[in-house]
Amino acid sequence: QQQVKQSPQSLIVQKGGISIINCAYENTAFDYFPWYQQFPGKGPALLIAIRPDVSEKKEGRFTISFNKSAKQFSLHIMDSQPGDSATYFCAAAGTGNNRKLIWGLGTSLAVNP
Amino acid sequence: KAGVTQTPRYLIKTRGQQVTLSCSPISGHRSVSWYQQTPGQGLQFLFEYFSETQRNKGNFPGRFSGRQFSNSRSEMNVSTLELGDSALYLCASRGSGNTIYFGEGSWLTVV
């Protein structure tokens, strides 16, 4: 049973546009929500992460929006660039014995020049 | 500080053989986890080790096994390889927080 649902599966955006990737989770015990970026031939790398005590976190062009009541969180990439073309994974984890990360299936983002 | 190191990076095996993959975590990290990545299936969690003990296990058959040594280095083994085991195998290490750091993976092709 997949506990983190990620959409869309693939996304094409024009350079300068906004890329939006959404994730929904089921387990209310989750309290850590990271996004990872993976380029071809590389392992995933942490991009940005949020905890449920804030509704938004911004780092440069990347923003996580978090809606605790809806159990949803999303990644916004502003002014998308061709170099942002990668696969993005959302994940969720709890604390203590529930710290195992549960992953979304990934979104393949292509930013056209 | 060196990142997570995985060896070998690429390997080709024949059905029925076994394979051992190695992972050296970031210095000071005691938790190592393994993932299988295939197109369309995302990151499938295999297992996690902490201080030489398996702490979590995913839904993989018993042909997939792992271990961790006292220096936190880890190995995973897949026996009786099947064509469907062809994948990128990723190792990740975790420090004191929830952030995990991935290696670049080992590409396994089973023919």
Side-chain angles (χ1 to χ4, degrees):
Chain A
Q1 181 185 6
Q2 184 190 352
Q3 298 182 43
V4 176
K5 294 183 179 179
Q6 183 173 347
S7 62
Q9 186 175 359
S10 62
L11 181 61
I12 300 174
V13 174
Q14 292 299 119
K15 178 182 176 182
I18 302 174
S19 304
I20 302 175
I21 305 171
N22 300 298
C23 282
Y25 63 98
E26 300 169 6
N27 190 338
T28 56
F30 290 154
D31 69 350
Y32 174 68
F33 305 91
W35 285 90
Y36 279 76
Q37 178 188 55
Q38 184 179 27
F39 293 107
K42 301 289 187 181
L46 178 67
L47 187 62
I48 186 173
I50 197 169
R51 294 195 181 273
D53 53 344
V54 296
S55 60
E56 185 175 283
K57 183 175 181 180
K58 185 176 181 179
E59 289 185 4
R61 295 184 295 107
F62 300 90
T63 300
I64 297 181
S65 297
F66 183 80
N67 186 329
K68 188 173 182 178
S69 61
K71 293 187 287 185
Q72 294 176 347
F73 59 109
S74 60
L75 175 69
H76 295 236
I77 306 175
M78 313 300 287
D79 187 26
S80 299
Q81 300 296 312
D84 298 330
S85 298
T87 300
Y88 293 81
F89 292 95
C90 65
T95 56
N97 292 331
N98 199 26
R99 290 177 68 202
K100 187 177 76 172
L101 280 164
I102 307 299
W103 296 85
L105 292 181
T107 296
S108 176
L109 170 66
V111 181
N112 290 333
Chain B
K1 196 182 235 186
V4 179
T5 305
Q6 292 188 244
T7 57
R9 288 294 320 277
Y10 305 92
L11 66 166
I12 301 174
K13 290 286 187 177
T14 304
R15 271 183 303 173
Q17 287 187 314
Q18 74 165 7
V19 66
T20 299
L21 308 177
S22 180
C23 172
S24 293
I26 292 172
S27 178
H29 286 190
R30 296 164 63 189
S31 167
V32 173
S33 51
W34 288 89
Y35 291 83
Q36 181 194 66
Q37 186 175 29
T38 55
Q41 293 298 313
L43 293 160
Q44 301 293 311
F45 174 77
L46 281 155
F47 26 67
E48 179 185 13
Y49 287 87
F50 180 83
S51 294
E52 302 179 68
T53 301
Q54 189 179 85
R55 185 158 68 176
N56 277 304
K57 189 177 188 304
N59 297 322
F60 278 80
R63 299 185 297 106
F64 293 80
S65 63
R67 59 178 176 169
Q68 186 180 31
F69 302 96
S70 58
N71 62 358
S72 293
R73 191 177 69 84
S74 177
E75 289 181 346
M76 68 161 284
N77 182 278
V78 187
S79 61
T80 318
L81 284 165
E82 301 176 357
L83 295 179
D85 297 332
S86 296
L88 174 65
Y89 290 88
L90 291 161
C91 170
S93 75
R94 170 161 39 193
S96 56
N98 252 343
T99 302
I100 66 170
Y101 301 87
F102 285 92
E104 297 203 331
S106 293
W107 287 94
L108 170 65
T109 301
V110 182
V111 297

